[in-house]
Amino acid sequence: MTRYIVRRLLAMPLLLLGVATAAFFLSHVTKADPLSAIVSERQMNNPEIVAAAKARWGLDRSVPEQYAIYIGNLLQGDLGTSFRTRMPVANDIMARLPATLELVLFAMVFGVFGGVALGIAAARWRDTMIDHAARLVALIGSSMPVFWTGLILLYVFSVALGWLPGPGRIDARAVPPAGATGFYTLDALLAGDIDAFLKALSHLVLPAFVLGWAVMGVISRLVRGSMLDVLEQDYIRTARAKGAGERRVLVVHALRNAMIPTLTIIGHSFAYLITGAVLTETIFAWPGVGSYAVDSARTLDHPAIIGVTLVGAAAFLLSNLATDVAYAVFNPRIGFGGADG
Amino acid sequence: MAEALARARRPSWLTVPVALGVVVVAFWIVAALTAPLWGLDEPLKMVARRLQPPSAEHWLGTDALGRDVFSRTIHGARISLAIAAVVVLAAVAIGAGLGALAGFFGGWWDAAVMRLVDVTLAFPPVLLAMAVAATLGPGLENAAVALVAVWWPVYARLMRAQVLEVKTREHVEAAIAGGATRSRLLFKHILSLCWTPIQVNATMDVGQVILLAAALSFIGLGASPPTPEWGAMISEGATQFYSWWIAFGPGFAILTLVLGFNFLGDGLRDLMDERSSR
Amino acid sequence: MTEPALEIADLRVAFPGGLEAVRGVSLSVARGEVLAVVGESGSGKSLTMLGAMGLAPRGALVSGSVRLKGEELIGARQARLRALRGDRIAMIFQDPLSALNPVLPIGEQIAEAIRLHRPRMGRKEIGERVLDLLALVSVPDPKRRAAQHPHEFSGGMRQRAMIAMAIANDPDILIADEPTTALDVTVQAQVMEVLARLRERLGLGLVLVTHDLGVVAGVADRVAVMYAGKVAEEAAVDPLFADPRHPYSRGLLGSVPRIAGGATRLTAIPGAPPRLGAREPGCAFAPRCVLAHAACAEEPPLRPAGSGAAACWAADEPAPEPEAEAHGETRHAVTGAPLISVRDLVKEYPLGKSLLPWRAAERLRAVAGVSFELAAGETLGLVGESGCGKSTLGRSVLGLIRPTSGSVTFRGREIAGLPAAEMRPLRRHLQMVFQDPFGSLHPRMRVGEIVAEPLRLLGEVGPKAAAKAEACLERVGLEAGFARRWPHELSGGQRQRVGIARALALEPEALVLDEPVSALDVSIQAGVLNLLADLQAELGLAYLFIAHDLAVVRHISHRVAVMYRGRIVELAPADALYSAPLHPYTERLLSAAPLPDPAAERARRRIAPREPESGGAASGGCPFRAACPRAAPECAEAPPLLARGEGRLVACWSPG
């Protein structure tokens, strides 16, 4: 088992280097001229300004040199400077990270619990109305465009019914709760401000629901599948032959085994969360990394969009690594050559 | 044996959802092919007053430029289905091709392809698509290229795994013992048995590609404004927040079409399971 | 006889669509009695027992009556059934790996069986009971073993753990569903011994469901033979083996190859068991029966015949003389230069990848230096238990696996390690028949295409190849019409015949047969073995016949090689090897092989193994040293394969 984890850890830096190289390739060797994004059209005719811009962004060097500089900067945590905000991309991302993490965390909790529960129920009452209803809910979750669902829900609950606040993390003129974590809910709680906490929570409800639903769809389908697989195994029959009741069969024998693939599913659902977060944040005017990415992409702000992509990839890789390690720890069979490699 | 028997009695793939999926997908394909013949308003022309709510004349109302939302929604199927078909076919051709060769030949070629796959799959799909599309510049074609870049590794990995599995089956060994040539082995004895999971995945992915393509257009990296593309239309609807009907039509269209493909893919998967357990 | 503890009456198990897989079965077992339920796959034997336990698969409809000490189980409340299952009536299954929960320790799984029925028993008490149970089924070092997970157990140990779990609450009835089918012959003997001992010690009633007549001969008191969802014959064990009344029982007994017997032709039962749902009215066995007559259009009831009962209208008629033609012509001494000659063949596999690229990974020697020769027209049997390297050896000979070192020559020409392109033209002389008759046929090719496929090697395609393929099919007993069928439309035996036809298409000189009959039912197996004998006599083929079944190997082979841990430990003419084995491992194998003869089986003494079942591989020296009753200091050096008179080779310092 240790062997397996060590091998995965060793592969990490190589993968990250590959990711960085791909990012460099995207930002430097494509036909889009980054100059046109930096320098306005009229100034393009001014050779001095163009040369200065080239020197400033390192565009006058050879490609291998640029690559070396790029990787060197990356190692120092320098993702370049945004064309749009004129700020270091890394700073921009850090400033917006808490908003995204708070949203993703709430969505994850909803999606994981809802998905696992729905998946188990569907497997337990296979081919009944419960199964069909769960399947429909799940499939709608993974079939809906989140940017549209968000829009419709905002209209219904905020405009038509007035039950929930509009877009944003807090009310338009409110002051964000001060605090160390950057999670408005947590900061408000730490400050003992229940009113601000409830406000922050009410702003979270819709985006977290929309995002969580999309994830829930994926998780519940896969949990149902792995539960059904497990329920057909011989050892389930053995448990029944011992005289175990249905609930015990389901909870002790089936769930423990189905949890192993489920764990992987949950870990890997991070990809869906990121995809969903980018679009959900845009609709809900959520000041997170996702909406930063979209704004950067819209304005062709290359350093920013590629910086976000790199950070996203790194986070994605790390979450997958953590998942696989957890899988190895959970599964008694691994490390004996079973699921290795 | 007894379990297999009990299962074989029930054609589990032929269910209401699958039938529904077939109907919905068929509807949209027909709509896409015959949209100009429906006698609808021109999707690009101003035909009524701006921002009219749904009425008997304009079922889904009119948008900010006075265009008929229903007509634009129906015409939107042409773009979404076309881009999804092109992207999935290209991703399958590239991915499955590379994956099959990697699985069959192994060695450095396999290593090279799989590292490229690993790196590509290390990116969260939407971010990679956005980065590629932003790099290439806005436009439907560039969005399609970005989507292919995101999707090919999925098929490469799937096909490689499939080839590796089929390669170890006894009938392949039997073919080697019978003196089959390498190309005969690959094409007749291995590849002919690798397509089913690819087909299931491709069916499911058509839906996902439609979703992501619409997302790119929504962000402004896909179809440009006058085009009746669903994502772009929702984006327009988002700016006219209180005229909810502008976004409703295209969004509902995406939901039904993607749901249709997912139902279909689910049914195909069950059918495949049933076949393989026989 | 005492009152039956389990009484099954007119049990039926049906699936939606009117498919009745079990059609009115009545059986009974008393405490302390062993009932064997014997039948081939699809006979409904397992389903009968699952139905009686209330464990039939989803969608199955179970009707009839099952009484456990007088209490009716069919229609009983779920809670009551649960209380009885695992307490008064318990069951163990064929594949002990999949039947044990992979994430729970063995001890925990046994403890659960106790806790479910003895909720008031203390934790400590249960722990002790678990250890007692493991000791009772002869699991060494129970304390350490109880904490381990199923994947850390060997096959035999897993089955013992299953048994321990099943007897945890001292049940009245233990149902064992093919308990040893997944196990090697020596392990099988040990597990059967555990079961027989438990019957005596605990006095439980044992139902032994199996397809193998040999397994039951020594332990069963009564035998019920099932066919097509019904009991065909039921009798006490001795009369059943000595004087079977149902033609199916006779056929079954006649088609088992005997270790003791010579090479007499097996009496194969023609045809195949009816498929579920495709059954004609009347006696289900009539289409395959030599005694079938007009009365068989009506299904016969089970009625007294001899000392038991048989469901046959002709049960009182004498058995027809079997057409006993010996295939002596294939057994004459084979002379001439060797066709295939194998020298010091070694095949190693790396065990995983080394973490450090400059250090070589550990290697497993699947074949550790094997030499033998195969003459034209000869059959060399290669026996050994699973994992001994026999299949790897067979594939290495054909170049399907590239050997690590050593030489293989065909007609004097070196073929080991030949590049694929140079090997290809030679393939027409050396063909292979595979174990899995379904997996070895391309599922999307018609039978005719499959058989014609190798003819491409000769550049033959189209009608000419198709005609040749049909000729090959006819040669293996399949009419030309089969050419247009798909593999999934055929029965197991027919598929295996297609595999043989494909191997014959190129008119080879030698065939490597890798467990060609082990996936087939006994009655089908006999037909395939007869076919192989006929083909050899007709075409002068040489066979390298790989199998784990000692009786099958003896039946077909001129000479037999016994493999153990990658080496040949003994090689001798078949008759000599079986009548007087020289290597201690051969002795052990033979003593463990079940004999389909109750008297002989009860009389024999088994050699108790000395070996901890898994691991403990001696590094260097004789591989059998750790398990050998004759182990001596000199065994620290590996003995070479040396001649011991009349064509015999033994790798042992002190051959018996």
Side-chain angles (χ1 to χ4, degrees):
Chain A
M1 191 173 78
T2 337
R3 209 183 158 76
Y4 168 76
I5 294 173
V6 167
R7 196 179 308 152
R8 290 302 311 264
L9 281 174
L10 287 179
M12 261 317 266
L14 286 179
L15 265 177
L16 283 174
L17 183 67
V19 165
T21 308
F24 172 81
F25 181 80
L26 270 183
S27 55
H28 287 74
V29 197
T30 48
K31 64 179 178 188
D33 183 3
L35 264 187
S36 63
I38 315 167
V39 185
S40 73
E41 214 166 307
R42 199 184 307 152
Q43 288 172 323
M44 277 294 228
N45 297 324
N46 186 336
E48 264 172 51
I49 293 181
V50 169
K54 276 191 171 173
R56 162 111 168 70
W57 302 102
L59 296 174
D60 53 350
R61 311 282 184 88
S62 72
V63 172
E65 269 180 298
Q66 289 187 33
Y67 179 70
I69 294 171
Y70 183 80
I71 300 292
N73 287 346
L74 274 187
L75 286 176
Q76 293 164 29
D78 181 2
L79 296 171
T81 307
S82 160
F83 297 154
R84 185 166 54 95
T85 65
R86 307 274 158 186
M87 294 275 288
V89 173
N91 292 13
D92 278 348
I93 293 177
M94 283 311 288
R96 287 159 165 268
L97 204 54
T100 299
L101 286 183
E102 189 176 29
L103 173 61
V104 164
L105 196 72
F106 274 81
M108 189 96 177
V109 169
F110 171 64
V112 167
F113 279 95
V116 170
L118 215 57
I120 293 173
R124 168 71 181 82
W125 289 284
R126 178 185 189 174
D127 292 335
T128 63
M129 276 319 287
I130 294 176
D131 185 16
H132 297 319
R135 173 189 274 219
L136 190 68
V137 169
L139 276 182
I140 287 178
S142 48
S143 303
M144 65 189 186
V146 286
F147 46 95
W148 173 74
T149 324
L151 211 56
I152 299 293
L153 290 179
L154 258 184
Y155 185 84
V156 171
F157 287 99
S158 172
V159 178
L161 297 171
W163 292 355
L164 291 168
R169 286 184 87 185
I170 43 168
D171 293 345
R173 274 173 293 278
V175 183
T181 66
F183 284 28
Y184 286 1
T185 46
L186 196 58
D187 284 341
L189 271 186
L190 287 176
D193 188 346
I194 297 297
D195 196 45
F197 169 73
L198 289 178
K199 268 271 179 290
L201 200 60
S202 68
H203 275 272
L204 259 172
V205 169
L206 278 186
F209 172 74
V210 170
L211 185 50
W213 190 0
V215 180
M216 188 178 78
V218 180
I219 293 182
S220 77
R221 296 299 294 151
L222 293 171
V223 168
R224 175 184 183 269
S226 64
M227 274 302 270
L228 287 182
D229 268 357
V230 169
L231 283 173
E232 282 192 5
Q233 298 297 314
D234 283 357
Y235 54 79
I236 294 298
R237 189 175 58 185
T238 306
R240 293 201 175 109
K242 274 191 220 177
E246 275 311 295
R247 185 176 309 161
R248 192 173 169 81
V249 166
L250 205 68
V251 175
V252 175
H253 293 276
L255 197 57
R256 286 251 310 249
N257 281 285
M259 270 325 280
I260 295 170
T262 302
L263 202 71
T264 317
I265 297 160
I266 292 171
H268 291 196
S269 67
F270 195 66
Y272 295 91
L273 273 174
I274 294 180
T275 307
V278 166
L279 299 161
T280 310
E281 285 186 5
T282 310
I283 278 297
F284 286 95
W286 199 262
V289 182
S291 55
Y292 178 71
V294 169
D295 291 340
S296 308
R298 273 182 178 152
T299 52
L300 304 187
D301 181 354
H302 284 101
I305 178 69
I306 286 167
V308 172
T309 306
L310 252 179
V311 171
F316 191 37
L317 279 177
L318 285 174
S319 86
N320 283 354
L321 177 70
T323 307
D324 293 346
V325 169
Y327 178 87
V329 172
F330 242 74
N331 189 347
R333 275 168 299 184
I334 212 169
F336 289 80
D340 210 350
Chain B
M1 195 254 359
E3 276 87 357
L5 246 177
R7 228 177 296 133
R9 286 300 95 205
R10 181 168 44 89
S12 59
W13 57 274
L14 190 67
T15 55
V16 177
V18 174
L20 215 65
V22 172
V23 170
V24 172
V25 169
F27 168 81
W28 281 114
I29 290 176
V30 170
L33 291 175
T34 63
L37 311 175
W38 285 28
L40 295 167
D41 297 315
E42 276 287 315
L44 298 182
K45 248 171 55 192
M46 185 175 154
V47 292
R49 284 175 48 210
R50 314 169 51 237
L51 303 177
Q52 290 300 299
S55 62
E57 203 165 331
H58 302 288
W59 293 354
L60 291 174
T62 62
D63 66 9
L65 296 175
R67 297 171 298 196
D68 181 54
V69 176
F70 180 73
S71 163
R72 285 174 66 75
T73 302
I74 295 294
H75 279 85
R78 297 168 75 85
I79 293 163
S80 283
L81 280 170
I83 196 171
V86 168
V87 167
V88 170
L89 285 179
V92 167
I94 296 171
L98 290 177
L101 295 177
F104 186 68
F105 290 108
W108 66 267
W109 167 257
D110 181 29
V113 171
M114 290 328 284
R115 291 303 81 74
L116 194 58
V117 165
D118 286 344
V119 167
T120 316
L121 285 179
F123 289 99
V126 78
L127 288 180
L128 181 60
M130 274 166 61
V132 174
T135 305
L136 297 176
L140 218 46
E141 297 83 1
N142 289 343
V145 172
L147 291 172
V148 174
V150 168
W151 250 284
W152 75 268
V154 175
Y155 293 101
R157 194 172 262 191
L158 191 64
M159 192 60 164
R160 174 175 176 270
Q162 194 67 17
V163 167
L164 284 180
E165 191 267 312
V166 173
K167 214 166 99 170
T168 61
R169 293 195 198 166
E170 268 194 349
H171 79 259
V172 175
E173 218 176 2
I176 299 173
T181 57
R182 279 224 278 212
S183 61
R184 179 90 183 154
L185 271 187
L186 179 60
F187 290 107
K188 180 77 186 181
H189 295 280
I190 297 178
L191 284 189
S192 63
L193 295 171
C194 293
W195 287 110
T196 322
I198 300 274
Q199 284 161 6
V200 173
N201 247 56
T203 310
M204 303 276 243
D205 278 352
V206 172
Q208 294 306 309
V209 169
I210 289 173
L211 268 182
L212 200 49
L216 286 181
S217 294
F218 172 77
I219 292 170
L221 290 174
S224 34
T227 323
E229 202 279 342
W230 291 338
M233 289 166 72
I234 296 176
S235 176
E236 285 163 32
T239 60
Q240 301 291 337
F241 184 63
Y242 293 92
S243 308
W244 56 270
W245 54 88
I246 301 178
F248 181 80
F252 193 70
I254 296 176
L255 177 62
T256 53
L257 184 50
V258 177
L259 203 55
F261 275 110
N262 278 339
F263 277 147
L264 214 58
D266 251 20
L268 263 181
R269 189 198 309 258
D270 288 349
L271 176 66
M272 185 178 81
D273 287 352
E274 200 167 289
R275 269 218 194 127
S276 63
S277 70
R278 189 167 59 197
Chain C
M1 192 171 286
T2 47
E3 185 205 341
L6 177 70
E7 200 167 11
I8 297 172
D10 197 31
L11 189 78
R12 289 165 191 277
V13 181
F15 290 99
L19 297 178
E20 229 179 5
V22 176
R23 307 180 297 136
V25 167
S26 303
L27 296 167
S28 69
V29 207
R31 276 195 70 114
E33 187 190 29
V34 180
L35 169 72
V37 179
V38 180
E40 296 178 288
S41 52
S43 63
K45 56 189 189 303
S46 295
L47 206 49
T48 303
M49 292 305 146
L50 288 172
M53 286 280 285
L55 294 174
R58 269 163 58 91
L61 301 163
V62 184
S63 62
S65 158
V66 176
R67 285 172 179 278
L68 184 66
K69 297 211 291 190
E71 183 178 352
E72 180 63 53
L73 300 188
I74 302 290
R77 292 189 28 229
Q78 275 301 321
R80 182 64 192 147
L81 276 180
R82 279 205 296 275
L84 291 172
R85 275 205 298 259
D87 187 35
R88 299 293 86 222
I89 180 167
M91 188 159 180
I92 60 175
F93 303 98
Q94 172 171 352
D95 182 357
L97 177 58
S98 61
L100 287 165
N101 191 329
V103 301
L104 299 178
I106 296 281
E108 174 52 35
Q109 299 191 47
I110 300 173
E112 184 192 18
I114 304 170
R115 213 177 299 124
L116 280 167
H117 299 284
R118 308 266 183 282
R120 268 189 290 277
M121 206 183 219
R123 207 184 170 73
K124 198 163 155 254
E125 212 178 332
I126 291 180
E128 280 164 14
R129 172 92 177 123
V130 167
L131 299 186
D132 287 349
L133 283 164
L134 284 172
L136 189 63
V137 294
S138 312
V139 171
D141 199 359
K143 206 161 193 150
R144 188 172 60 90
R145 290 301 208 155
Q148 290 183 334
H149 285 90
H151 69 269
E152 296 166 84
F153 272 48
S154 67
M157 285 295 149
R158 281 180 205 135
Q159 196 57 290
R160 287 168 205 224
M162 275 298 290
I163 296 172
M165 195 188 302
I167 59 166
N169 298 306
D170 246 322
D172 297 305
I173 295 290
L174 174 61
I175 299 173
D177 186 4
E178 303 262 13
T180 60
T181 306
L183 306 175
D184 275 326
V185 51
T186 51
V187 182
Q188 160 173 310
Q190 294 158 17
V191 170
M192 285 312 294
E193 224 170 86
V194 169
L195 282 173
R197 202 175 66 226
L198 287 176
R199 179 262 291 249
E200 259 155 47
R201 269 190 71 167
L202 309 176
L204 44 73
L206 182 60
V207 181
L208 208 53
V209 179
T210 181
H211 69 282
D212 188 340
L213 281 163
V215 168
V216 301
V219 270
D221 298 311
R222 280 184 303 126
V223 179
V225 177
M226 281 188 70
Y227 187 79
K230 284 199 144 190
V231 175
E233 178 164 6
E234 193 193 328
V237 65
D238 292 293
L240 187 106
F241 277 83
D243 179 24
R245 290 311 181 97
H246 196 286
Y248 175 65
S249 317
R250 284 181 196 141
L252 214 49
L253 281 165
S255 50
V256 183
R258 313 275 168 143
I259 282 190
T264 49
R265 198 176 170 81
L266 302 171
T267 51
I269 306 176
R275 289 187 182 198
L276 199 55
R279 192 151 43 217
E280 302 286 317
C283 175
F285 188 65
R288 304 174 71 188
C289 185
V290 279
L291 297 176
H293 49 69
C296 302
E298 194 185 328
E299 187 144 39
L302 197 63
R303 57 201 186 110
S307 60
C312 179
W313 298 119
D316 295 325
E317 288 174 27
E321 278 300 305
E323 17 170 340
E325 43 170 305
H327 69 295
E329 68 270 25
T330 64
R331 305 274 305 212
H332 60 69
V334 185
T335 51
L339 191 65
I340 295 175
S341 164
V342 175
R343 283 277 154 266
D344 301 322
L345 196 75
V346 172
K347 177 64 194 177
E348 291 180 337
Y349 289 104
L351 284 171
K353 260 190 210 154
S354 169
L355 217 50
L356 307 171
W358 58 88
R359 216 170 61 195
E362 268 183 86
R363 298 170 83 77
L364 172 82
R365 282 202 144 190
V367 177
V370 164
S371 307
F372 64 84
E373 284 169 352
L374 180 67
E378 180 198 34
T379 301
L380 175 65
L382 198 57
V383 262
E385 296 182 285
S386 54
C388 73
K390 56 189 190 298
S391 285
T392 308
L393 176 58
R395 283 170 165 76
S396 304
V397 168
L398 289 189
L400 292 174
I401 291 176
R402 187 173 292 265
T404 309
S405 68
S407 123
V408 179
T409 57
F410 170 72
R411 291 200 174 285
R413 184 173 168 196
E414 182 62 49
I415 58 171
L418 221 52
E422 283 176 54
M423 186 66 203
R424 197 170 299 129
L426 290 172
R427 294 220 176 273
R428 66 168 305 185
H429 307 297
L430 303 166
Q431 285 287 305
M432 176 142 182
V433 175
F434 294 85
Q435 171 174 13
D436 177 359
F438 195 56
S440 61
L441 303 181
H442 192 305
R444 309 254 172 92
M445 281 168 83
R446 289 178 193 275
V447 165
E449 292 176 75
I450 290 173
V451 176
E453 180 76 5
L455 292 169
R456 295 178 161 267
L457 191 58
L458 308 179
E460 289 176 19
V461 284
K464 193 174 161 213
K468 259 199 184 176
E470 284 189 14
C472 288
L473 284 170
E474 261 169 61
R475 172 152 258 162
V476 299
L478 299 173
E479 314 97 77
F482 275 94
R484 283 183 302 281
R485 316 244 308 247
W486 298 101
H488 67 82
E489 296 172 333
L490 309 185
S491 70
Q494 289 168 339
R495 282 178 204 146
Q496 198 55 292
R497 283 168 192 263
V498 173
I500 296 171
R502 169 176 57 193
L504 293 179
L506 289 170
E507 296 167 28
E509 293 174 64
L511 289 186
V512 172
L513 302 125
D514 184 15
E515 301 263 14
V517 295
S518 66
L520 306 177
D521 278 320
V522 200
S523 70
I524 309 290
Q525 169 182 316
V528 173
L529 286 174
N530 286 343
L531 171 70
L532 287 172
D534 293 345
L535 288 171
Q536 185 168 54
E538 251 173 80
L539 306 172
L541 293 165
Y543 290 156
L544 180 60
F545 191 98
I546 301 166
H548 68 278
D549 188 324
L550 293 156
V552 166
V553 169
R554 155 150 224 198
H555 175 79
I556 194 145
S557 308
H558 299 97
R559 291 188 301 146
V560 174
V562 180
M563 269 188 92
Y564 182 76
R565 292 204 175 156
R567 294 164 205 254
I568 292 181
V569 294
E570 181 163 6
L571 198 161
D575 294 335
L577 185 115
Y578 282 77
S579 55
L582 292 180
H583 194 282
Y585 177 65
T586 315
E587 282 172 23
R588 198 175 117 195
L589 265 187
L590 282 173
S591 93
L595 305 175
D597 178 346
E601 185 67 34
R602 278 192 293 264
R604 72 203 293 222
R605 219 173 41 86
R606 290 220 151 84
I607 299 171
R610 258 191 59 200
E611 174 184 33
E613 238 187 274
S614 63
S619 54
C622 174
F624 192 58
R625 187 168 40 144
C628 183
R630 299 207 291 266
E634 69 259 31
C635 300
E637 193 184 328
L641 199 60
L642 292 175
R644 302 274 168 183
E646 1 100 55
R648 302 192 67 162
L649 298 165
V650 188
C652 183
W653 295 119
S654 47

